[in-house]
Amino acid sequence: MSAIWTGVSGMLSYSQGIATTSNNLANTNTTGYKSSRMLFADLISTMAGGTSDGSQIGMGVQVGSTSMDTGVGSLTSASNSMDMAIDGERGYFIVKNPDNDKTYYTRDGSFNFDTSGYLVSETGNQVQGWAVDQAAITAAKKAGTTLSTVPTTGTVTDIQIKDFRIDPQATSTVTMIANLDSTAETGDLDATDPYFTMFKSYDATSDPTVSDYDYSSQITVYDSEGGAHELTTYYSKVKDANGKEYWEYMVTVPPGEDGSSATDGTTKDGVLMIGTMTFSSQGEMENLTAFSPSGSDPTNLSNWTQASVDSNGVPQLNASFVSTTNSPTVLASQAISYKTGLTSTDGAWSARAPASAAAIGDVAAANAGYDSSTTKNAVTCTTNYATSSYTLSSNQDGYPSGELESTSVDENGVVSGTFSNGQTKQLWVVALADFKSPTDLYREGNNLLSATEASGTASIGRANTGVFDGIAGYTLESSNVDLATEMVNLITLQRAFQSNSKVVSTADEMMQKALEIKH
C-alpha cells in the first residue's frame, strides 16, 4: 500500500509540474510574461520495520514551491510611440482599474492614449505617473538655469492629457549673431550724426523703408496671440579709425505692425532699437550701445534713450505689436532681450555709456556701452572679419499655438508631446514600483500582478533613479520563457510521471499476487 501511495504522490506532483511547464510554453509570446519555476520536496519518511539504526523509508514527493522568474525578457522594437519596456529587472509599471480603483503592477508596457486622453493598458487600466511642473520649467528658463531632472507636482495619479493644444508663447529673447564684412566701404555719412546715418534716412512711409545699408538679417518673432512678425536687423559701417571699426545697427518690424505710441504715425514707425557696435583690429566685438524711443518725437536722437538691460546683461527692446487677428488692436508691450553675443556680467550699462543716441559723441564715446571690466563674449559673438557678411546664428523663443501631433517617452520615463508648431512639451513622468520580494507577487491574469504580504509593499520611484532601471520607448519586453529549457523540463517530468505510474501498476500486481496466495 505504501508503494502505491508513493507512486500516486509522484504522479500528482509531476502532473502539476507538467501543468506549470505547459503554462510557461503557452505564454511564450505573452508580452512581459515571467515564467514559473516549480520545486519539489519529499514527504515525511517512516522508520524501517525491525531496525534500530534510524533507517527510514520515504513516503513520496510533493510540490515544494512555485516561484516567478523575474529575469528580463528580450526587448523587441514596437511601432506604437507609447509602447515601452523597463530595461532591467528593477521596476514594474503601475496601473489602476478605473472601475474598482484597485492598483496592479505589470511588466507589459503596451500602452496607448484612449479617447478621453488617459494612458491605458490594452485592458483599459490607467497608467500612473506624476504631472510635470510647467511653472517650474518656465521659471528655470527665465532664470537661464538648467534643471537636473524634470520637475513634477502632486502625487502619483492617472496619466491623462486634457489639453491637446499648446498656447502661443510671445518672444522674449532673440539671438542675432552675424559676421560683418570688415572690407565694406563706408558710405555717405550724416554730417551731424554719422553714427546714425542709416536711422536718419529711414522712412516708414517709403518702400523700401531703408535703402542704404551693408547687410540685413531677418527672423520671425511672435506676439502674445501667436501672431508672426518679421524682425529685421540692418547693419551699416560707420567708421574705421584708431585700429577699431564702428558699425550702426537698427532693429525694425514692418511699420504697419508696430503699434508703439513712441513711433506710431511718424517716419520712424517700425524702428524698435538703434545702437552701435565696436570691433577690435582682430575683428572681435568690444562693445555696443542700444537705445529705445522714449515717447517724444522719435526723429530726434535725444529722445532715443538707453535701452533697459536684463539680469543677464542683455539690452532689451520693447515691442507693441498690432494684432494679426484683430487689427487695429494694439497688444500689450513685450520686452525682448536682443542678444548679439556680448553681455555685461553686472547686468548694467557703464557709467560712461551715453544717456541718449544724440550723446554718442566722438569715437571714444561710441565705445562706452559696457564697462570693459564686466564685459564678456558668449561662445558665439558678432564678429568683424574680412569675409562676406552673413548670419552666424539666429533664433528666438516664441511660437504660435499648436495642436498635439504625437507623443513619446524617453529613458527617464518622461512623456512628451510634439505639437504642430514644432514645439515639444514635457507632460508626464511615468511612475515605477519595486518590491523587496518580487517573486512573491500574485498573478491576477491579463499580465497583471498584485502585492502580497510576502512581496512587501511597493516602493515608488522614477526610472533611472535609485534602484530603478531605465525605460526604452518604442519597445516591448518579450516573455522570458526559455523554450529549450521548458522542453527539457517537459520531457523530464513526463518520464518521471511515467515511472511513477509504473510503480503504481507494479504495486498493484504485488497486491494481486498476495490475494492469490490467500486462495
Side-chain angles (χ1 to χ4, degrees), residues 258-306:
D258 179 17
S260 171
S261 59
T263 55
D264 189 31
T266 71
T267 58
K268 306 306 178 185
D269 198 6
V271 181
L272 305 182
M273 177 182 283
I274 60 176
T276 60
M277 297 178 176
T278 306
F279 299 92
S280 69
S281 57
Q282 288 76 39
E284 296 178 350
M285 185 188 284
E286 289 187 339
N287 225 316
L288 83 159
T289 60
F291 304 96
S292 299
S294 63
S296 301
D297 178 12
T299 61
N300 188 340
L301 286 173
S302 297
N303 295 321
W304 287 78
T305 55
Q306 280 185 358

mmCIF file of all heavy atoms in Angstrom, residues 258-306:
data_model
loop_
_atom_site.group_PDB
_atom_site.id
_atom_site.type_symbol
_atom_site.label_atom_id
_atom_site.label_comp_id
_atom_site.label_asym_id
_atom_site.label_seq_id
_atom_site.Cartn_x
_atom_site.Cartn_y
_atom_site.Cartn_z
ATOM 1 N N ASP A 258 3.740 97.811 -36.134
ATOM 2 C CA ASP A 258 4.266 98.458 -34.933
ATOM 3 C C ASP A 258 3.205 99.387 -34.356
ATOM 4 O O ASP A 258 2.849 100.390 -34.960
ATOM 5 C CB ASP A 258 5.536 99.238 -35.283
ATOM 6 C CG ASP A 258 6.135 99.954 -34.089
ATOM 7 O OD1 ASP A 258 5.778 99.596 -32.948
ATOM 8 O OD2 ASP A 258 6.965 100.863 -34.292
ATOM 9 N N GLY A 259 2.703 99.038 -33.171
ATOM 10 C CA GLY A 259 1.675 99.859 -32.545
ATOM 11 C C GLY A 259 2.200 100.719 -31.423
ATOM 12 O O GLY A 259 1.416 101.275 -30.639
ATOM 13 N N SER A 260 3.523 100.857 -31.313
ATOM 14 C CA SER A 260 4.107 101.639 -30.231
ATOM 15 C C SER A 260 3.730 103.118 -30.366
ATOM 16 O O SER A 260 3.857 103.714 -31.435
ATOM 17 C CB SER A 260 5.631 101.501 -30.252
ATOM 18 O OG SER A 260 6.228 102.402 -29.345
ATOM 19 N N SER A 261 3.289 103.670 -29.279
ATOM 20 C CA SER A 261 2.927 105.093 -29.289
ATOM 21 C C SER A 261 4.155 105.975 -29.447
ATOM 22 O O SER A 261 4.040 107.144 -29.812
ATOM 23 C CB SER A 261 2.200 105.457 -27.988
ATOM 24 O OG SER A 261 3.031 105.186 -26.856
ATOM 25 N N ALA A 262 5.341 105.397 -29.198
ATOM 26 C CA ALA A 262 6.566 106.195 -29.283
ATOM 27 C C ALA A 262 6.925 106.527 -30.724
ATOM 28 O O ALA A 262 7.593 107.531 -30.982
ATOM 29 C CB ALA A 262 7.723 105.437 -28.630
ATOM 30 N N THR A 263 6.497 105.680 -31.682
ATOM 31 C CA THR A 263 6.852 105.931 -33.082
ATOM 32 C C THR A 263 5.643 105.952 -34.005
ATOM 33 O O THR A 263 5.760 106.312 -35.172
ATOM 34 C CB THR A 263 7.826 104.839 -33.584
ATOM 35 O OG1 THR A 263 7.223 103.559 -33.370
ATOM 36 C CG2 THR A 263 9.146 104.908 -32.836
ATOM 37 N N ASP A 264 4.481 105.560 -33.500
ATOM 38 C CA ASP A 264 3.287 105.404 -34.335
ATOM 39 C C ASP A 264 2.948 106.688 -35.074
ATOM 40 O O ASP A 264 2.879 107.776 -34.495
ATOM 41 C CB ASP A 264 2.109 104.966 -33.457
ATOM 42 C CG ASP A 264 0.902 104.580 -34.288
ATOM 43 O OD1 ASP A 264 1.097 104.093 -35.414
ATOM 44 O OD2 ASP A 264 -0.223 104.785 -33.811
ATOM 45 N N GLY A 265 2.736 106.529 -36.365
ATOM 46 C CA GLY A 265 2.308 107.662 -37.189
ATOM 47 C C GLY A 265 3.427 108.584 -37.589
ATOM 48 O O GLY A 265 3.170 109.652 -38.152
ATOM 49 N N THR A 266 4.672 108.193 -37.339
ATOM 50 C CA THR A 266 5.815 109.028 -37.706
ATOM 51 C C THR A 266 6.652 108.303 -38.754
ATOM 52 O O THR A 266 6.414 107.137 -39.070
ATOM 53 C CB THR A 266 6.703 109.331 -36.486
ATOM 54 O OG1 THR A 266 7.400 108.129 -36.109
ATOM 55 C CG2 THR A 266 5.863 109.811 -35.315
ATOM 56 N N THR A 267 7.652 108.989 -39.264
ATOM 57 C CA THR A 267 8.531 108.369 -40.265
ATOM 58 C C THR A 267 9.402 107.281 -39.658
ATOM 59 O O THR A 267 10.052 106.536 -40.392
ATOM 60 C CB THR A 267 9.435 109.432 -40.910
ATOM 61 O OG1 THR A 267 10.200 110.081 -39.884
ATOM 62 C CG2 THR A 267 8.613 110.465 -41.668
ATOM 63 N N LYS A 268 9.449 107.180 -38.334
ATOM 64 C CA LYS A 268 10.266 106.159 -37.670
ATOM 65 C C LYS A 268 9.415 104.993 -37.170
ATOM 66 O O LYS A 268 9.883 104.149 -36.401
ATOM 67 C CB LYS A 268 11.045 106.778 -36.497
ATOM 68 C CG LYS A 268 11.892 107.987 -36.887
ATOM 69 C CD LYS A 268 12.834 107.677 -38.052
ATOM 70 C CE LYS A 268 13.632 108.920 -38.469
ATOM 71 N NZ LYS A 268 14.462 108.671 -39.669
ATOM 72 N N ASP A 269 8.191 104.936 -37.621
ATOM 73 C CA ASP A 269 7.296 103.849 -37.241
ATOM 74 C C ASP A 269 7.922 102.516 -37.674
ATOM 75 O O ASP A 269 8.297 102.340 -38.841
ATOM 76 C CB ASP A 269 5.945 104.047 -37.931
ATOM 77 C CG ASP A 269 4.840 103.233 -37.282
ATOM 78 O OD1 ASP A 269 5.094 102.613 -36.238
ATOM 79 O OD2 ASP A 269 3.722 103.229 -37.834
ATOM 80 N N GLY A 270 8.004 101.563 -36.763
ATOM 81 C CA GLY A 270 8.588 100.251 -37.067
ATOM 82 C C GLY A 270 9.992 100.068 -36.528
ATOM 83 O O GLY A 270 10.489 98.946 -36.462
ATOM 84 N N VAL A 271 10.661 101.171 -36.118
ATOM 85 C CA VAL A 271 12.015 101.051 -35.545
ATOM 86 C C VAL A 271 11.890 100.777 -34.053
ATOM 87 O O VAL A 271 11.283 101.561 -33.313
ATOM 88 C CB VAL A 271 12.840 102.330 -35.786
ATOM 89 C CG1 VAL A 271 14.239 102.157 -35.191
ATOM 90 C CG2 VAL A 271 12.925 102.638 -37.273
ATOM 91 N N LEU A 272 12.470 99.667 -33.584
ATOM 92 C CA LEU A 272 12.360 99.280 -32.175
ATOM 93 C C LEU A 272 13.625 99.561 -31.385
ATOM 94 O O LEU A 272 13.552 99.803 -30.186
ATOM 95 C CB LEU A 272 12.021 97.779 -32.076
ATOM 96 C CG LEU A 272 10.770 97.302 -32.824
ATOM 97 C CD1 LEU A 272 10.557 95.817 -32.576
ATOM 98 C CD2 LEU A 272 9.554 98.097 -32.396
ATOM 99 N N MET A 273 14.787 99.518 -32.044
ATOM 100 C CA MET A 273 16.044 99.742 -31.329
ATOM 101 C C MET A 273 17.093 100.215 -32.325
ATOM 102 O O MET A 273 17.112 99.784 -33.484
ATOM 103 C CB MET A 273 16.528 98.461 -30.646
ATOM 104 C CG MET A 273 17.869 98.591 -29.929
ATOM 105 S SD MET A 273 18.420 97.016 -29.188
ATOM 106 C CE MET A 273 17.377 96.954 -27.740
ATOM 107 N N ILE A 274 17.947 101.130 -31.857
ATOM 108 C CA ILE A 274 19.116 101.541 -32.636
ATOM 109 C C ILE A 274 20.330 101.481 -31.720
ATOM 110 O O ILE A 274 20.203 101.475 -30.491
ATOM 111 C CB ILE A 274 18.950 102.964 -33.216
ATOM 112 C CG1 ILE A 274 18.755 103.984 -32.085
ATOM 113 C CG2 ILE A 274 17.793 103.015 -34.205
ATOM 114 C CD1 ILE A 274 18.683 105.434 -32.592
ATOM 115 N N GLY A 275 21.518 101.404 -32.318
ATOM 116 C CA GLY A 275 22.716 101.347 -31.496
ATOM 117 C C GLY A 275 23.963 101.229 -32.340
ATOM 118 O O GLY A 275 23.921 101.288 -33.578
ATOM 119 N N THR A 276 25.085 101.080 -31.642
ATOM 120 C CA THR A 276 26.379 100.966 -32.318
ATOM 121 C C THR A 276 27.120 99.738 -31.818
ATOM 122 O O THR A 276 26.896 99.261 -30.703
ATOM 123 C CB THR A 276 27.249 102.203 -32.057
ATOM 124 O OG1 THR A 276 27.477 102.327 -30.649
ATOM 125 C CG2 THR A 276 26.588 103.468 -32.581
ATOM 126 N N MET A 277 28.018 99.225 -32.665
ATOM 127 C CA MET A 277 28.897 98.116 -32.314
ATOM 128 C C MET A 277 30.335 98.528 -32.585
ATOM 129 O O MET A 277 30.626 99.173 -33.602
ATOM 130 C CB MET A 277 28.560 96.872 -33.143
ATOM 131 C CG MET A 277 27.169 96.318 -32.916
ATOM 132 S SD MET A 277 26.831 94.886 -33.983
ATOM 133 C CE MET A 277 25.211 94.408 -33.388
ATOM 134 N N THR A 278 31.212 98.145 -31.669
ATOM 135 C CA THR A 278 32.634 98.468 -31.799
ATOM 136 C C THR A 278 33.433 97.176 -31.881
ATOM 137 O O THR A 278 33.225 96.263 -31.071
ATOM 138 C CB THR A 278 33.120 99.288 -30.599
ATOM 139 O OG1 THR A 278 32.292 100.436 -30.441
ATOM 140 C CG2 THR A 278 34.563 99.727 -30.797
ATOM 141 N N PHE A 279 34.348 97.113 -32.867
ATOM 142 C CA PHE A 279 35.162 95.912 -33.063
ATOM 143 C C PHE A 279 36.639 96.256 -32.973
ATOM 144 O O PHE A 279 37.077 97.347 -33.362
ATOM 145 C CB PHE A 279 34.866 95.284 -34.431
ATOM 146 C CG PHE A 279 33.435 94.858 -34.599
ATOM 147 C CD1 PHE A 279 32.498 95.723 -35.148
ATOM 148 C CD2 PHE A 279 33.017 93.591 -34.189
ATOM 149 C CE1 PHE A 279 31.168 95.331 -35.304
ATOM 150 C CE2 PHE A 279 31.697 93.198 -34.336
ATOM 151 C CZ PHE A 279 30.761 94.068 -34.897
ATOM 152 N N SER A 280 37.413 95.315 -32.454
ATOM 153 C CA SER A 280 38.860 95.490 -32.368
ATOM 154 C C SER A 280 39.486 95.234 -33.735
ATOM 155 O O SER A 280 38.817 94.775 -34.668
ATOM 156 C CB SER A 280 39.449 94.513 -31.351
ATOM 157 O OG SER A 280 39.351 93.180 -31.831
ATOM 158 N N SER A 281 40.799 95.487 -33.833
ATOM 159 C CA SER A 281 41.512 95.247 -35.096
ATOM 160 C C SER A 281 41.546 93.765 -35.448
ATOM 161 O O SER A 281 41.790 93.395 -36.598
ATOM 162 C CB SER A 281 42.940 95.790 -35.000
ATOM 163 O OG SER A 281 43.624 95.186 -33.902
ATOM 164 N N GLN A 282 41.289 92.888 -34.453
ATOM 165 C CA GLN A 282 41.235 91.437 -34.704
ATOM 166 C C GLN A 282 39.836 90.978 -35.118
ATOM 167 O O GLN A 282 39.595 89.787 -35.322
ATOM 168 C CB GLN A 282 41.664 90.660 -33.457
ATOM 169 C CG GLN A 282 43.153 90.730 -33.140
ATOM 170 C CD GLN A 282 43.540 92.060 -32.535
ATOM 171 O OE1 GLN A 282 42.789 92.620 -31.728
ATOM 172 N NE2 GLN A 282 44.696 92.573 -32.936
ATOM 173 N N GLY A 283 38.894 91.903 -35.210
ATOM 174 C CA GLY A 283 37.554 91.557 -35.647
ATOM 175 C C GLY A 283 36.623 91.100 -34.538
ATOM 176 O O GLY A 283 35.532 90.601 -34.815
ATOM 177 N N GLU A 284 37.031 91.276 -33.281
ATOM 178 C CA GLU A 284 36.192 90.858 -32.162
ATOM 179 C C GLU A 284 35.379 92.035 -31.636
ATOM 180 O O GLU A 284 35.901 93.153 -31.528
ATOM 181 C CB GLU A 284 37.049 90.281 -31.039
ATOM 182 C CG GLU A 284 37.795 89.013 -31.440
ATOM 183 C CD GLU A 284 38.668 88.488 -30.322
ATOM 184 O OE1 GLU A 284 38.829 89.217 -29.304
ATOM 185 O OE2 GLU A 284 39.208 87.380 -30.456
ATOM 186 N N MET A 285 34.132 91.778 -31.281
ATOM 187 C CA MET A 285 33.298 92.849 -30.736
ATOM 188 C C MET A 285 33.792 93.230 -29.345
ATOM 189 O O MET A 285 33.958 92.380 -28.476
ATOM 190 C CB MET A 285 31.833 92.424 -30.665
ATOM 191 C CG MET A 285 30.914 93.569 -30.204
ATOM 192 S SD MET A 285 29.208 93.062 -29.885
ATOM 193 C CE MET A 285 28.582 92.910 -31.537
ATOM 194 N N GLU A 286 33.996 94.530 -29.146
ATOM 195 C CA GLU A 286 34.468 95.034 -27.855
ATOM 196 C C GLU A 286 33.358 95.690 -27.053
ATOM 197 O O GLU A 286 33.380 95.668 -25.827
ATOM 198 C CB GLU A 286 35.601 96.053 -28.069
ATOM 199 C CG GLU A 286 36.894 95.444 -28.548
ATOM 200 C CD GLU A 286 38.013 96.471 -28.572
ATOM 201 O OE1 GLU A 286 37.703 97.698 -28.611
ATOM 202 O OE2 GLU A 286 39.185 96.084 -28.554
ATOM 203 N N ASN A 287 32.404 96.287 -27.749
ATOM 204 C CA ASN A 287 31.354 96.986 -27.025
ATOM 205 C C ASN A 287 30.174 97.260 -27.940
ATOM 206 O O ASN A 287 30.254 97.095 -29.164
ATOM 207 C CB ASN A 287 31.871 98.297 -26.432
ATOM 208 C CG ASN A 287 31.398 98.477 -24.997
ATOM 209 O OD1 ASN A 287 30.240 98.228 -24.686
ATOM 210 N ND2 ASN A 287 32.296 98.914 -24.128
ATOM 211 N N LEU A 288 29.072 97.654 -27.322
ATOM 212 C CA LEU A 288 27.894 98.054 -28.086
ATOM 213 C C LEU A 288 27.055 99.001 -27.243
ATOM 214 O O LEU A 288 27.171 99.027 -26.015
ATOM 215 C CB LEU A 288 27.064 96.846 -28.510
ATOM 216 C CG LEU A 288 26.058 96.230 -27.520
ATOM 217 C CD1 LEU A 288 25.025 95.427 -28.268
ATOM 218 C CD2 LEU A 288 26.767 95.359 -26.504
ATOM 219 N N THR A 289 26.235 99.781 -27.935
ATOM 220 C CA THR A 289 25.248 100.624 -27.268
ATOM 221 C C THR A 289 23.877 100.241 -27.814
ATOM 222 O O THR A 289 23.766 99.632 -28.883
ATOM 223 C CB THR A 289 25.510 102.118 -27.531
ATOM 224 O OG1 THR A 289 25.455 102.362 -28.944
ATOM 225 C CG2 THR A 289 26.876 102.536 -26.994
ATOM 226 N N ALA A 290 22.837 100.579 -27.086
ATOM 227 C CA ALA A 290 21.476 100.259 -27.520
ATOM 228 C C ALA A 290 20.535 101.321 -26.983
ATOM 229 O O ALA A 290 20.617 101.713 -25.810
ATOM 230 C CB ALA A 290 21.061 98.878 -27.020
ATOM 231 N N PHE A 291 19.637 101.820 -27.844
ATOM 232 C CA PHE A 291 18.724 102.892 -27.462
ATOM 233 C C PHE A 291 17.304 102.559 -27.913
ATOM 234 O O PHE A 291 17.085 101.957 -28.964
ATOM 235 C CB PHE A 291 19.163 104.216 -28.085
ATOM 236 C CG PHE A 291 20.574 104.603 -27.740
ATOM 237 C CD1 PHE A 291 21.626 104.312 -28.610
ATOM 238 C CD2 PHE A 291 20.866 105.227 -26.536
ATOM 239 C CE1 PHE A 291 22.926 104.664 -28.297
ATOM 240 C CE2 PHE A 291 22.164 105.580 -26.216
ATOM 241 C CZ PHE A 291 23.204 105.292 -27.091
ATOM 242 N N SER A 292 16.325 102.970 -27.102
ATOM 243 C CA SER A 292 14.906 102.766 -27.394
ATOM 244 C C SER A 292 14.201 104.116 -27.420
ATOM 245 O O SER A 292 14.632 105.068 -26.751
ATOM 246 C CB SER A 292 14.259 101.885 -26.314
ATOM 247 O OG SER A 292 14.875 100.615 -26.259
ATOM 248 N N PRO A 293 13.082 104.228 -28.167
ATOM 249 C CA PRO A 293 12.354 105.506 -28.210
ATOM 250 C C PRO A 293 11.700 105.792 -26.855
ATOM 251 O O PRO A 293 11.162 104.894 -26.209
ATOM 252 C CB PRO A 293 11.309 105.280 -29.302
ATOM 253 C CG PRO A 293 11.118 103.794 -29.330
ATOM 254 C CD PRO A 293 12.455 103.206 -29.031
ATOM 255 N N SER A 294 11.765 107.054 -26.427
ATOM 256 C CA SER A 294 11.275 107.417 -25.097
ATOM 257 C C SER A 294 9.812 107.860 -25.102
ATOM 258 O O SER A 294 9.205 108.022 -24.044
ATOM 259 C CB SER A 294 12.132 108.540 -24.512
ATOM 260 O OG SER A 294 12.025 109.712 -25.309
ATOM 261 N N GLY A 295 9.242 108.113 -26.275
ATOM 262 C CA GLY A 295 7.841 108.522 -26.330
ATOM 263 C C GLY A 295 7.639 109.895 -26.909
ATOM 264 O O GLY A 295 6.521 110.266 -27.260
ATOM 265 N N SER A 296 8.691 110.697 -27.020
ATOM 266 C CA SER A 296 8.586 112.015 -27.650
ATOM 267 C C SER A 296 8.922 111.878 -29.138
ATOM 268 O O SER A 296 8.948 110.756 -29.663
ATOM 269 C CB SER A 296 9.533 112.993 -26.961
ATOM 270 O OG SER A 296 9.215 113.099 -25.578
ATOM 271 N N ASP A 297 9.191 112.979 -29.792
ATOM 272 C CA ASP A 297 9.484 112.977 -31.223
ATOM 273 C C ASP A 297 10.603 111.990 -31.550
ATOM 274 O O ASP A 297 11.767 112.210 -31.208
ATOM 275 C CB ASP A 297 9.895 114.396 -31.644
ATOM 276 C CG ASP A 297 10.270 114.455 -33.115
ATOM 277 O OD1 ASP A 297 9.998 113.482 -33.845
ATOM 278 O OD2 ASP A 297 10.847 115.473 -33.518
ATOM 279 N N PRO A 298 10.320 110.828 -32.226
ATOM 280 C CA PRO A 298 11.348 109.816 -32.474
ATOM 281 C C PRO A 298 12.361 110.227 -33.538
ATOM 282 O O PRO A 298 13.384 109.553 -33.691
ATOM 283 C CB PRO A 298 10.533 108.606 -32.929
ATOM 284 C CG PRO A 298 9.315 109.200 -33.560
ATOM 285 C CD PRO A 298 9.004 110.411 -32.742
ATOM 286 N N THR A 299 12.089 111.312 -34.265
ATOM 287 C CA THR A 299 13.066 111.753 -35.255
ATOM 288 C C THR A 299 14.233 112.464 -34.592
ATOM 289 O O THR A 299 15.275 112.672 -35.208
ATOM 290 C CB THR A 299 12.412 112.693 -36.276
ATOM 291 O OG1 THR A 299 11.909 113.856 -35.589
ATOM 292 C CG2 THR A 299 11.268 111.996 -36.997
ATOM 293 N N ASN A 300 14.067 112.828 -33.325
ATOM 294 C CA ASN A 300 15.116 113.492 -32.554
ATOM 295 C C ASN A 300 15.902 112.439 -31.774
ATOM 296 O O ASN A 300 15.347 111.758 -30.909
ATOM 297 C CB ASN A 300 14.484 114.519 -31.621
ATOM 298 C CG ASN A 300 15.531 115.382 -30.918
ATOM 299 O OD1 ASN A 300 16.705 115.020 -30.814
ATOM 300 N ND2 ASN A 300 15.093 116.540 -30.434
ATOM 301 N N LEU A 301 17.192 112.308 -32.041
ATOM 302 C CA LEU A 301 18.013 111.288 -31.385
ATOM 303 C C LEU A 301 18.078 111.467 -29.872
ATOM 304 O O LEU A 301 18.354 110.514 -29.144
ATOM 305 C CB LEU A 301 19.433 111.299 -31.967
ATOM 306 C CG LEU A 301 19.565 110.697 -33.371
ATOM 307 C CD1 LEU A 301 20.970 110.915 -33.917
ATOM 308 C CD2 LEU A 301 19.228 109.210 -33.348
ATOM 309 N N SER A 302 17.820 112.674 -29.389
ATOM 310 C CA SER A 302 17.825 112.909 -27.937
ATOM 311 C C SER A 302 16.702 112.133 -27.254
ATOM 312 O O SER A 302 16.754 111.890 -26.039
ATOM 313 C CB SER A 302 17.672 114.407 -27.641
ATOM 314 O OG SER A 302 18.763 115.138 -28.163
ATOM 315 N N ASN A 303 15.689 111.768 -28.029
ATOM 316 C CA ASN A 303 14.558 111.027 -27.469
ATOM 317 C C ASN A 303 14.725 109.517 -27.588
ATOM 318 O O ASN A 303 13.803 108.761 -27.306
ATOM 319 C CB ASN A 303 13.261 111.464 -28.153
ATOM 320 C CG ASN A 303 12.937 112.915 -27.849
ATOM 321 O OD1 ASN A 303 13.142 113.386 -26.731
ATOM 322 N ND2 ASN A 303 12.439 113.641 -28.856
ATOM 323 N N TRP A 304 15.888 109.075 -28.024
ATOM 324 C CA TRP A 304 16.251 107.655 -28.025
ATOM 325 C C TRP A 304 17.222 107.445 -26.870
ATOM 326 O O TRP A 304 18.394 107.811 -26.947
ATOM 327 C CB TRP A 304 16.868 107.243 -29.364
ATOM 328 C CG TRP A 304 15.821 107.164 -30.448
ATOM 329 C CD1 TRP A 304 15.263 108.209 -31.125
ATOM 330 C CD2 TRP A 304 15.202 105.975 -30.931
ATOM 331 N NE1 TRP A 304 14.317 107.756 -32.012
ATOM 332 C CE2 TRP A 304 14.261 106.373 -31.926
ATOM 333 C CE3 TRP A 304 15.333 104.624 -30.650
ATOM 334 C CZ2 TRP A 304 13.475 105.464 -32.615
ATOM 335 C CZ3 TRP A 304 14.548 103.718 -31.352
ATOM 336 C CH2 TRP A 304 13.629 104.125 -32.312
ATOM 337 N N THR A 305 16.699 106.893 -25.784
ATOM 338 C CA THR A 305 17.490 106.772 -24.547
ATOM 339 C C THR A 305 17.973 105.339 -24.339
ATOM 340 O O THR A 305 17.555 104.402 -25.021
ATOM 341 C CB THR A 305 16.639 107.198 -23.343
ATOM 342 O OG1 THR A 305 15.430 106.428 -23.316
ATOM 343 C CG2 THR A 305 16.276 108.678 -23.450
ATOM 344 N N GLN A 306 18.866 105.190 -23.384
ATOM 345 C CA GLN A 306 19.448 103.872 -23.106
ATOM 346 C C GLN A 306 18.371 102.803 -22.960
ATOM 347 O O GLN A 306 17.403 102.972 -22.219
ATOM 348 C CB GLN A 306 20.250 103.910 -21.805
ATOM 349 C CG GLN A 306 21.633 104.497 -21.919
ATOM 350 C CD GLN A 306 22.385 104.381 -20.597
ATOM 351 O OE1 GLN A 306 21.854 103.901 -19.603
ATOM 352 N NE2 GLN A 306 23.618 104.839 -20.583
#
